[in-house]
Amino acid sequence: MPETSPNDGKGRLGPLGLEQILALLVRNGLLQEPDALSLRDKAPLQRRRLQRERQAAGTTDIPITWAELVASFQQPAVGSGRITETRIQQAVAEAAGLPYIAVDPLRVDPKLVSDTVSFAYARRNRILPLAVKDGRMTLAVDDPYSRDVIVTMTNRAGMPLDVVVSAASDIQQVLDEVFRFRASVRGAVAELGDGATDFGNLEQLVQLTAGTNVEGDDRHVVHAVDFLMRYALEQRASDLHIEPKRDSSHVRLRIDGVLHKVQELPKVVHRAVVSRIKTMARLDIAEKRRPQDGRIKLAHHDLEVELRISTLPTAFGEKVVTRFFDPQVLFQSLDQLGLFPTELEYFNSFIRRPNGLILVTGPTGSGKTTTLYSGLRAVASPTVNVCTIEDPIEMVVDAFNQTAVNTRLGLTFDSLLRTLLRQDPDVIMVGEVRDGETARNAIQAALTGHLVFATVHTNDAPSTIGRMIDLGAEPFMLASTLVGVVAQRLIRRVCMSCRQEGELSAEQATALGLQLAKDERFPVFEGVGCAKCRGTGLKGRIGVFEVMPVNEKLKKQITEGADAGEMARQAVRDGMLTLRQAAIKKLALGLTSFDEVLRVTADSDY
């Protein structure tokens, strides 16, 4: 705990005020004295303006801190940037001799917060319990000089405190998320009852005889589900997992390809949450023994976001996975995908052709849908009939005529493709080539004057040709229609907020197949971890591509039955970057890390 406030000089303790904060900023060289005096004079009027804004937003119960008030002026700082709440709190932490921590919502234990302090007290005093370790509690505060608050929290916790400084706005945001969500959960538990029958647990199945379904539109459950979906979107999650366990239900988010556990629900609430999601997706809430798939469309920040819902019976109940299709991510201009200029030129030449077959390949979750949709959007116009066959439709787009595969009704890729050829299409997208009939019909469509996009599951571009032939495509017909092949992966970006320059070691260079001269340096960037990347050093993802134009030399090799290795070597001689080479190039540009390059291109054979 700090012993003196930063501006009293006499050892008196007391909460931070406007004068202390302004003096601290001047002392730290962030603010000039005349600017500090000007802000002090403007403060009363600015405070009234902020109060009116909170009245309009219905948040008058949230106190306005002096740090928030000073930050609201957006005053330019001496040197560079502006005076932000974060910079103010960092200065406060330095003056108090305490660490500053940017609160990461995914690393907060909601149960610890709600069990330690009440919402009203935490909100009024802007405090947040973060963790308990080795008999000590880490407590985030915005004002480390509020002795009464820290003493009270020490007594409540029943253990010593390690005080850290955080921004009040970050603390308030987490408090709102934790307490409002848990209030909805508690309300649901109260209405459903702790003794509600659990039909999902196979360990209890033998003992069950009867029961009633939990209503999916209960208001507490509605609030809880709305919170989870909104929170997932705000955290840039691609998937939301709700997983039943023996005694509880776990909620996890997949962010940048990595799963994070964010909540734990009482088991009694799980079925109600699942029923609510199934109701939103127009699924059968009474059917719990079979997998179901559905869709939801949500309005979020003036955007319509598509959600794909998948349910699966498991040992302890129905597991639900919600996949988010953010249009800002799914529909990107081609130059935002991560293609290098030469690769972009190749891809543009593919999609501008009047006919031919374009194959996109890569494992599940490698960004194929984004590439396909972006390519289709680039060619779609009022004069072009774009038709797609998907399983399922990932995102509804007005510019496309989209059809979903439904095997129960006999609507397969093969049958739909044959029908689609009678619909006067200009451009056709086949979601996946799975069998010989679909492969042959896709080639036939390309031969008869259509531009066909299709996906195949292979590791790289050259092996895609062998896969098509294995499925039953005639080599000479494939050679005459295939325009190009695009293999891709998603690689995580180095966090731009905390990256530091380093260089590859000799061992790392060898692992990547690089031959460096004795004194040659290969500068790279690594993220050291910060609040924005949640300590991972990585934030966001970008595509890595292997773009193989099918020229006359490759056509000849396809017809002659050359293997993937021969075609790969020919394509490289013709200028193709392999996945490994493209990833290394992104490493050299400081966009990704050595570990990511190794992870994503581990199956690169040439």
Side-chain angles (χ1 to χ4, degrees), residues 551-602:
N551 56 25
E552 292 304 320
K553 294 176 183 177
L554 282 174
K555 288 179 186 291
K556 186 172 184 293
Q557 286 189 331
I558 294 171
T559 305
E560 294 174 349
D563 62 27
E566 292 178 72
M567 286 187 279
R569 288 187 287 273
Q570 181 60 55
V572 170
R573 285 194 294 270
D574 292 338
M576 181 188 80
L577 282 178
T578 67
L579 283 169
R580 171 65 62 86
Q581 290 169 339
I584 290 173
K585 193 171 179 180
K586 282 185 165 54
L587 175 66
L589 292 172
L591 296 176
T592 190
S593 68
F594 164 78
D595 290 336
E596 276 295 289
V597 172
L598 212 56
R599 178 184 69 85
V600 167
T601 63

Side-chain angles (χ1 to χ4, degrees), residues 60-78:
T60 53
D61 55 332
I62 302 177
I64 300 170
T65 68
W66 291 113
E68 288 177 289
L69 188 146
V70 173
S72 69
F73 285 108
Q74 297 188 335
Q75 175 73 26
V78 175

Side-chain angles (χ1 to χ4, degrees), residues 28 58 126 137 152 207 218 267 307 322 409 417 501 503 572:
N28 283 25
R126 302 171 302 282
M137 177 181 287
T152 299
Q207 305 171 22
D218 171 79
K267 188 63 182 288
L307 279 60
T322 301
L409 299 178
L417 184 52
E501 187 173 354
E503 60 183 67
V572 170

Side-chain angles (χ1 to χ4, degrees), residues 359-369 371-372 431-433 454-464 467 485-490 544-546 579 600 603:
L359 296 177
V360 179
T361 183
T364 301
S366 61
K368 297 189 299 295
T369 300
T371 300
L372 286 169
E432 185 180 346
V433 177
T455 71
V456 186
H457 282 287
T458 56
N459 287 334
D460 51 63
S463 61
T464 304
R467 173 64 176 158
V485 184
V486 179
Q488 67 180 89
R489 301 288 190 277
L490 287 178
V544 175
F545 297 87
E546 183 175 273
L579 283 169
V600 167
D603 55 2

Side-chain angles (χ1 to χ4, degrees), residues 176-233:
D176 285 348
E177 291 170 352
V178 168
F179 282 99
R180 286 179 178 170
F181 177 70
R182 292 188 75 82
S184 297
V185 171
R186 282 196 300 270
V189 170
E191 292 195 6
L192 298 172
D194 287 322
T197 304
D198 181 5
F199 287 88
N201 194 332
L202 285 183
E203 294 180 334
Q204 302 177 26
L205 189 59
V206 176
Q207 305 171 22
L208 303 178
T209 56
T212 57
N213 289 325
V214 175
E215 289 295 325
D217 59 354
D218 171 79
R219 63 187 182 90
H220 295 297
V221 175
V222 169
H223 294 158
V225 171
D226 287 352
F227 167 83
L228 289 175
M229 291 187 172
R230 183 175 63 252
Y231 186 67
L233 286 165

Side-chain angles (χ1 to χ4, degrees), residues 116-129:
T116 305
V117 64
S118 69
F119 181 42
Y121 186 83
R123 197 178 202 189
R124 183 170 63 252
N125 294 287
R126 302 171 302 282
I127 56 174
L128 180 67

Side-chain angles (χ1 to χ4, degrees), residues 345-364:
E345 186 179 336
Y346 284 150
F347 191 70
N348 271 317
S349 71
F350 298 166
I351 66 175
R352 297 302 173 190
R353 291 176 62 110
N355 55 67
L357 176 63
I358 302 168
L359 296 177
V360 179
T361 183
T364 301

Side-chain angles (χ1 to χ4, degrees), residues 245-259:
K245 303 300 179 184
R246 180 176 286 104
D247 301 315
S248 62
S249 178
H250 295 177
V251 180
R252 299 197 289 174
L253 297 179
R254 187 177 295 279
I255 303 171
D256 294 337
V258 179
L259 278 172

